[in-house]
Amino acid sequence: MRGHLIVVEGCDRSGKTTQCERLVQSLQEHGKDAELVKFPDRTTQTGKMIDSYLKQTSHLDDHAIHLLFSANRWEAMDALKEKLSQGKTLIVDRYAFSGVAFSAAKGLDFEWCRGPDVGLLVPDVVMFLDLTMDEAEKRGGFGEERYEKRELQMQVRKEFDKLMDDTWKMVDASQTKDQVHTAMLTIVNELPAPGPVRSGLWKETQ
Ligand code: FDM
Ligand code: MG
């Protein structure tokens, strides 16, 4: 049986990365073959360009960087597909939803933003770590990277709202780390057995 493709989204400071790591560890401890995937993957050629853009050591046109983020996902698809069919469950820290939310928040056309990711693997579930901006800021300010600013993050949240549908699982990220972890683990454990790997993002309800 193939593994599940589990996407975790949320605004900055929501605890995504910490929780994704913990989820993978828990699943492994329970005997599941699970692996962490992170977008952007900053190690590849496109990833290095993205990294320098985010660290503000390079400038790129908004459309160009959007396409690079998408290319960074596309170049990973064959490998992810292979892993899923080998039975690996993939926990994916950000995906095309972040791609659209951040670029649209900067002012790019929402529909245009969806275009490059049409056809990506369809996740079995999207979990959204939900945290208000005030709670996010209480967690100790944003960092130095390009998008780590209150105004933009507020807009990103609005764009995420447009992408959500009733298949998304909202997780209250203001809970303790243990509570968030338990909520995420429960969602994963309740997923139905997966059917064949599905390509074709956005064509369904998302
Ligand atoms: N980001 C992330 C995008 O703008 N588009 C994308 O497609 C993806 C995957 O990159 F500000 C933004 C979101 C965030 C930044 O992400 C780096 P991490 O999770 O902080 O590394
Ligand atoms: Mg970050």
Side-chain angles (χ1 to χ4, degrees):
M1 192 171 71
R2 79 159 167 96
H4 284 112
L5 182 62
I6 296 163
V7 167
V8 181
E9 289 280 10
C11 290
D12 267 48
R13 306 252 133 220
S14 60
K16 272 186 316 303
T17 303
T18 311
Q19 291 292 344
C20 284
E21 285 166 3
R22 229 179 124 181
L23 184 58
V24 168
Q25 200 185 338
S26 259
L27 292 171
Q28 287 172 348
E29 282 164 11
H30 287 84
K32 244 200 173 125
D33 188 5
E35 197 174 301
L36 182 64
V37 176
K38 162 125 194 62
F39 290 115
D41 174 355
R42 302 190 191 212
T43 66
T44 68
Q45 286 299 106
T46 60
K48 284 173 191 158
M49 292 172 77
I50 292 168
D51 185 58
S52 91
Y53 173 82
L54 289 171
K55 293 194 169 124
Q56 322 216 47
T57 53
S58 68
H59 175 78
L60 282 169
D61 170 78
D62 288 340
H63 302 83
I65 184 65
H66 182 78
L67 296 173
L68 277 178
F69 273 112
S70 179
N72 187 249
R73 283 183 282 279
W74 274 112
E75 66 191 4
M77 282 305 113
D78 283 347
L80 298 192
K81 206 171 185 171
E82 182 62 25
K83 285 177 179 176
L84 289 170
S85 52
Q86 286 166 358
K88 256 190 212 306
T89 286
L90 302 176
I91 307 298
V92 185
D93 180 356
R94 294 194 192 275
Y95 199 52
F97 312 101
S98 276
V100 174
F102 279 81
S103 293
K106 292 194 288 182
L108 295 193
D109 179 75
F110 188 83
E111 283 310 318
W112 184 88
C113 289
R114 284 156 66 112
D117 288 305
V118 166
L120 285 185
L121 293 174
V122 181
D124 294 298
V125 67
V126 182
M127 290 190 229
F128 188 82
L129 298 199
D130 197 14
L131 194 68
T132 65
M133 199 48 58
D134 287 342
E135 286 161 340
E137 285 188 324
K138 274 190 225 147
R139 294 187 171 183
F142 294 118
E144 298 288 300
E145 287 204 334
R146 196 178 278 269
Y147 298 147
E148 299 180 345
K149 297 180 194 86
R150 185 187 171 94
E151 287 303 295
L152 184 79
Q153 292 287 328
M154 301 276 280
Q155 193 56 43
V156 167
R157 175 53 210 245
K158 286 187 194 156
E159 303 299 337
F160 270 129
D161 283 339
K162 295 183 201 163
L163 291 163
M164 281 169 199
D165 62 33
D166 53 16
T167 70
W168 284 36
K169 304 285 183 195
M170 302 301 282
V171 175
D172 175 3
S174 70
Q175 302 176 97
T176 66
K177 280 185 187 174
D178 284 350
Q179 286 170 326
V180 173
H181 175 64
T182 305
M184 292 172 76
L185 199 54
T186 304
I187 291 167
V188 173
N189 287 332
E190 287 175 353
L191 287 175
V197 177
R198 291 178 296 157
S199 298
L201 191 66
W202 312 119
K203 283 177 193 149
E204 302 178 16
T205 46
Q206 286 140 352

